[in-house]
Amino acid sequence: MTDIGYHVSHEQFAPSDLLEWIQRAQTQGFDHALASDHFHPWSEQQGESGFVWSWLGSAMEATDMTFGTVNAPGYRYHPAIVAQGAATLREIYPGRFWLAVGSGQILNEGIVGTDWPVKRDRNARLEECAEIMRRLWDGEEVTHHGRVDVEQAKLYSRPETPPPLIGAALSEETASWLAEWADGMITIATPDHEDDASRVEAFRENAPEKPVYLKAQHSYDETDEAALGGAYEQWRNQCVPGTVTQELRTPEEYDALGAQLSEEHVEEHVRVSADPKEHVDWIEADLELDVDKVFLHNVNTNQPEFIDTFGEEVLPALE
């Protein structure tokens, strides 16, 4: 099995298309997948946002790949329900499902009308939810009253081994904190790797044996111009600097900020190239960071050609 995965972007594509493409990705040599879990897309231009938990059942039945998704328990999802969903997938498909958890963004979690806490409080709620899920996976009857309430909950359908609980980090501080309790870490790649290396190092200082996953934004197309244009159209809203994106409530608010960015700014955040060899070089640099898996997200809409070209030229070069 390779260490390279395919990112399934539910904000950009219909669930039926993604099901077709994940099967195509397996045929082309991808062994792992990371699927996004959103209620809203990042922009009106993207225009999709399927329910990942329904899709995962279909995708895992249609392939032999491992799958993970990043979830924010404690808001639109109660942690007991997340634990039940994850346990069911892991029971049907032993060893093939892992769950990542993060502190969330109001773009998705705000739909239930919650007051949005500050980051410190969101982290505390996340750790509390993680403890609840682990206790349920262990077969306990859980009653808990805190930031989240649980009353006499017990999971009756459980897998032989619980899903690994991977923590999502966008900062060095969060990475260090996750090392204390998470089973691993997932983070976002940057073009120069400076921030990536600091997050990986901060996590590994306290958890040297736990896995680290990296999600990397690429834009591959027939020409450099098409790759950059596609990245700008589809992904500029995710290139807004700073943590402000964790506080925006609607795709329209993202679009208002994204409209202020240039193609040059997007190119600083996305690996744009029509040359497969250049993408190989970027991914090799990722693997040198001492990460266990790299999930590739082609941020433009040209998914079939990306899957085929990377399967035929990029993955073999990495092996």
Side-chain angles (χ1 to χ4, degrees):
M1 298 187 62
T2 68
D3 295 319
I4 308 302
Y6 173 70
H7 179 67
V8 181
S9 182
H10 279 273
E11 303 82 33
Q12 295 176 271
F13 308 108
S16 55
D17 289 335
L18 291 171
L19 185 59
E20 175 185 341
W21 293 337
I22 199 63
Q23 294 173 82
R24 188 171 188 149
Q26 176 175 267
T27 300
Q28 290 290 1
F30 288 90
D31 293 315
H32 311 286
L34 171 65
S36 53
D37 181 358
H38 268 220
F39 192 89
H40 289 141
W42 299 110
S43 70
E44 291 293 327
Q45 180 69 29
Q46 291 177 342
E48 294 284 350
S49 209
F51 186 55
V52 70
W53 293 92
S54 301
W55 184 89
L56 281 166
S58 295
M60 295 184 77
E61 183 65 23
T63 70
D64 298 318
M65 301 166 76
T66 71
F67 285 81
T69 190
V70 182
N71 180 275
Y75 303 98
R76 65 186 163 117
Y77 291 109
H78 192 282
I81 302 304
V82 178
Q84 183 184 31
T88 295
L89 287 173
R90 183 91 172 177
E91 195 280 332
I92 301 172
Y93 308 106
R96 289 176 52 201
F97 180 74
W98 52 272
L99 177 66
V101 291
S103 61
Q105 295 171 308
I106 198 170
L107 174 70
N108 300 297
E109 312 314 319
I111 63 164
V112 296
T114 183
D115 291 330
W116 195 236
V118 297
K119 176 66 171 173
R120 179 185 64 257
D121 292 341
R122 299 203 309 272
N123 282 353
R125 181 183 292 239
L126 175 60
E127 191 170 1
E128 190 174 301
C129 289
E131 180 185 354
I132 290 167
M133 291 189 289
R134 284 191 167 122
R135 291 175 63 191
L136 289 168
W137 290 331
D138 286 342
E140 289 187 43
E141 181 184 281
V142 177
T143 294
H144 175 91
H145 298 286
R147 292 175 175 85
V148 176
D149 292 330
V150 186
E151 197 72 41
Q152 291 185 292
K154 182 177 179 179
L155 285 182
Y156 284 85
S157 296
R158 303 191 310 276
E160 289 188 7
T161 59
L165 199 58
I166 308 298
L170 295 177
S171 70
E172 185 176 341
E173 180 181 5
T174 299
S176 180
W177 169 68
L178 288 175
E180 300 172 6
W181 60 268
D183 297 325
M185 180 182 74
I186 186 167
T187 189
I188 303 293
T190 56
D192 61 10
H193 286 303
E194 181 178 351
D195 293 336
D196 313 347
S198 65
R199 290 193 295 273
V200 173
E201 182 179 351
F203 182 81
R204 292 223 181 268
E205 279 183 0
N206 296 312
E209 303 302 321
K210 295 179 181 180
V212 173
Y213 302 157
L214 197 67
K215 178 181 177 285
Q217 278 73 237
H218 292 246
S219 188
Y220 170 79
D221 212 322
E222 294 181 355
T223 66
D224 289 346
E225 291 75 15
L228 180 55
Y232 182 76
E233 175 193 84
Q234 286 287 307
W235 208 246
R236 65 178 179 269
N237 291 0
Q238 275 303 92
C239 299
V240 174
T243 60
V244 65
T245 57
Q246 297 178 12
E247 307 295 332
L248 302 180
R249 186 176 289 274
T250 66
E252 291 87 351
E253 291 178 354
Y254 275 84
D255 285 334
L257 281 182
Q260 303 174 32
L261 302 182
S262 65
E263 287 190 342
E264 290 74 20
H265 182 85
V266 171
E267 199 166 15
E268 293 174 0
H269 292 79
V270 178
R271 299 159 176 184
V272 176
S273 178
D275 182 0
K277 177 60 170 62
E278 197 163 6
H279 290 278
V280 170
D281 292 341
W282 279 318
I283 299 166
E284 286 180 338
D286 291 337
L287 296 172
E288 290 174 0
L289 289 174
D290 190 26
V291 300
D292 298 271
K293 288 184 177 67
V294 179
F295 294 93
L296 307 180
H297 179 194
N298 190 47
V299 302
N300 67 59
T301 59
N302 193 8
Q303 298 300 302
E305 185 173 347
F306 166 80
I307 292 168
D308 292 347
T309 300
F310 274 55
E312 293 164 6
E313 300 185 41
V314 175
L315 298 188
L318 294 168
E319 291 173 358

